[in-house]
Structures are given as C-alpha cells and as structure tokens.
C-alpha cells in the first residue's frame, strides 16, 4: 500500500456516471454503491474523513424523462439533472444508511468556489458536515448551471473540492485503471504508468486531444484535475471503478496511477495566502493577541485595536502590531463594517452585536500565515 494512501486523513472520491448507473435501464448500481459504502465505513473507522463527488444525476434523470441518447440540449440536461439528483441522493441515503453512515447533499455552482466569500462558506459547511461524522456527497448544481458558468465535468469539480478542503488524496474512480503511455482508443501497445511526479508535455500527450469523442471528459479532464490537485498539495490517483470495493483495492495494491503532490496542503494554502493575494486592508492588534498568534492561536475580535482599508468577508488582510510591524496575513471572516462593530469585543458577544452568529475566530489560524523573523 502506498504511504500516501495509508497516511491520508482527508480523502475526496470522485465517482463517474457510468460507475453508478446501468446504461440499459438507467437505474442505480446499488450493489456496487453498497461495496463503496462499506469501504468508506472502514476508512471512517480508521479515523479518516471522506468526501464524495458524485455524477449520475443527468444519467438517471434522462431515463426517467425518456430523453433520447446522445448529447442533450442545455435545458433538457438541466431538467434531467433536476429529476435525477433526487434519485441519486435517495440512492446514497438508502445504501449508506444501511452501512450506518449519514450522507449530506451539497450542490455547487462555479461561483460557489470561485468567489472567495462563497468559497469560504462552502468550505465551512463541508467541514462542519465532516466534523459531525456525515459523508458529504457533492455534485454540480446542473439544473441552474449554464454553459458559461459551470464546471462542466466532475473531474474539475472534484479537484476544486479537494483543494478547497485541503484533502490529502483525490481518488478518481474511472472506467480505466490509470494513465497509459498511449491515448485512450489508440493501439493496445500502451503501458500503464504507476507514478507521475510531474505533468510534462509528454504526460499531457498521453491523454490525447481534448477535441476527440474518445477523450472528452476522459483522460484530458483527468490530467487537468491532476494539475489542479497536485499544485494545491493533494495527491491524486486514477483507479478502476469497475471493481467491487473500489477503495479497498487501493490497499490491496490494485493497478492505478498515482500523481504526486508537490507540496502539502497546509503549506501550499499558506503560501497562497502569504504571497499571491493583494491584501485589502490591515488589522492592528494588541500585544496579547500578537503573543497568542505566535503560540499558534487564531485571531479573535477581542484583540483587534484598529482597522484600515476596505475589505469584505474572505478578503486577505495584513495583521500588524500597534507599532505598525507586520505580524502576518490572513483571510478575514468578517467584512469591514461588521469588523468595526466587533473589534475589541469578546467572540461570544458577536451574535448580539451583529444579529447573526458568525465565525468565532476573526481570522482562523488555518487561514493565516505568520511572518518569519
Ligand atoms: N454533474 C453531472 C451529473 O451529475 C456529471 C458531470 C460529469 O460526470 O462530469 O450528471
């Protein structure tokens, strides 16, 4: 077993439509899903957290609505997704409950992860579901997504969810058991790669062209997903979803292709906060708060003395001492107007002051990077 799999604490599993639905009848493959649920129960017993990104809504719904095979018009795929998503969620609920697992449905549109504030919101919700021990089942909200504003495929969505959740591993359960040295559909001389440490032009060429019928939504999008995942510090593995117990097989050394992350999730996230964001404002904090941050604590509103600039919830801000020295940077959990009201106040007073219950931490330590001396 690879040590990346053994040590992974948070795992995102992407399941494609063809793994979940019978092509002829359009029904859910419940036996297969039950074997997946058993694998997930075992992972959870071992102290791991699992997030599912599941396709299948359109595949289920198009059968119910008796839509013709082949590509669907946008409005038909939206209608099919609306019908199919209910069945999909119900199927997960029934099968996972039988294994003693609770499931939670999350439907995302592109803006939910690309807009910083909504991104933080989605991340908090999924993290809270995990904290309570349920298994989030994520899909694109296909019924309202339009051509211009959609993830388009669940490989991309899964990579986004994995990076958003700082997952250790992303598993793509696919029709193929990995990346081969020749594009899908080409001759049979190709050999499966066990390990990819860098996505070079040569690796991309193995996926084939984006434009061909064979590779669309196939290996090309998986390599795109791998790029996004490994840059964010998440290892990715492509494995066959055609077998029963598709996750357990990874322990048993089944054929697959691993893509190695270049950085671990925390450092890559913190590097991103530290370097690539334009700070929108400054939070001036008292000496007690400076000491608390250096001890690895979060920044609470009580330690805030003054605010500068104009920032919204989720924006990057600089944290400064009373003398104006930069302590670090982070993402503010409150926008300027609310921040002004709660600055200097205890966290437990926030609800009364603002009239809603926001985050306890003004800047959570996971959303903060301290300046090294
Ligand atoms: N979100 C789509 C569905 O649930 C699937 C997209 C994909 O598989 O890439 O039907």
């Amino acid at each position: 077993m690879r040590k990346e799999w053994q040590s992974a604490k948070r795992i995102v599993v992407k399941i494609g439509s063809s793994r979940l639905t019978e092509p002829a009848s359009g029904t859910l493959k419940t036996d297969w899903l039950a074997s997946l649920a058993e694998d997930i129960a075992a992972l959870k017993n071992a102290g791991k957290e699992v997030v599912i990104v599941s396709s299948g809504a359109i595949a289920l719904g198009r059968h119910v609505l008796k839509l013709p095979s082949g590509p669907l018009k946008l409005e038909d795929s939206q209608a099919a997704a609306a019908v199919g998503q209910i069945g999909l969620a119900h199927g997960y609920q029934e099968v996972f409950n039988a294994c003693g697992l609770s499931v939670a449905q999350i439907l995302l549109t592109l803006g939910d992860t690309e807009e910083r504030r909504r991104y933080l919101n989605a991340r908090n919700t999924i993290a809270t579901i995990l904290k309570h021990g349920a298994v989030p089942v994520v899909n694109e909200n296909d019924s309202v997504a339009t051509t211009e504003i959609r993830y388009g495929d669940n490989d991309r969505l899964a990579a986004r969810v994995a990076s958003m959740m700082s997952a250790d591993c992303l598993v793509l359960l696919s029709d193929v058991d990995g990346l081969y040295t020749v594009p899908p559909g080409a001759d049979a001389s190709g050999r499966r790669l066990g390990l990819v440490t860098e996505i070079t032009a040569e690796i991309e060429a193995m996926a084939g062209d984006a434009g061909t019928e064979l590779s669309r939504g196939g290996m090309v999008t998986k390599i795109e997903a791998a790029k996004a995942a490994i840059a964010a510090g998440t290892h990715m593995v492509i494995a066959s979803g055609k077998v029963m117990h598709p996750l357990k097989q990874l322990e048993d050394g089944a054929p697959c292709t691993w893509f190695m992350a270049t950085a671990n999730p925390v450092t890559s996230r913190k590097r991103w906060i530290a370097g690539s964001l334009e700070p929108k404002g400054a939070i001036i904090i008292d000496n007690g708060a400076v000491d608390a941050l250096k001890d690895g604590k979060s920044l609470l509103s009580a330690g805030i003395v003054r605010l500068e600039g104009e920032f919204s919830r989720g924006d990057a801000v600089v944290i400064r001492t009373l003398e104006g020295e930069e302590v670090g940077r982070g993402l503010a959990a409150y926008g300027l107007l609310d921040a002004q009201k709660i600055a200097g106040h205890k966290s437990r007073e926030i609800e009364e002051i603002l009239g809603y219950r926001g985050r306890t931490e003004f800047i959570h330590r996971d959303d903060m990077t301290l300046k090294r001396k």
Side-chain angles (χ1 to χ4, degrees), residues 270 289-299 361 363-366 368 370:
K270 296 215 169 186
V290 174
D291 291 342
L293 298 195
K294 288 187 177 155
D295 276 349
K297 306 237 167 62
S298 297
L299 176 65
E361 304 85 10
I363 300 179
H364 194 278
R365 64 193 165 103
D366 291 349
M368 189 193 304
L370 297 186

Side-chain angles (χ1 to χ4, degrees), residues 14 16-17 54-59 85 88 139-140 142 152-155:
K14 184 257 172 178
S17 300
S54 180
S55 306
I58 297 172
Q85 185 62 37
L88 190 62
N139 196 2
E140 178 158 17
D142 294 301
D153 65 80
N154 277 14
D155 292 326

Side-chain angles (χ1 to χ4, degrees), residues 112 116-126 313:
D112 292 321
R116 190 72 198 160
R117 275 192 291 169
R118 287 163 66 188
Y119 168 95
L120 287 180
N121 190 32
R123 188 162 65 105
N124 280 341
T125 308
I126 296 177
R313 182 157 94 92

Side-chain angles (χ1 to χ4, degrees), residues 163-234:
S163 71
M164 173 164 81
M165 299 316 296
S166 304
D168 305 300
C169 274
L170 165 63
V171 186
L172 302 185
L173 292 178
S174 164
D175 290 349
V176 287
D177 59 5
L179 176 67
Y180 282 73
T181 50
V182 296
D187 61 78
S189 66
R191 150 184 87 75
R192 185 181 45 78
L193 299 178
L195 186 67
V196 175
T197 50
E198 198 189 345
I199 299 183
T200 56
E202 201 189 344
I203 295 288
E204 292 199 59
M206 294 173 190
D209 296 331
T212 71
E213 198 54 48
L214 275 169
S215 57
R216 193 182 303 136
M219 209 39 86
V220 173
T221 62
K222 288 180 179 48
I223 299 296
E224 287 305 315
K227 276 197 220 162
I230 68 175
T234 302

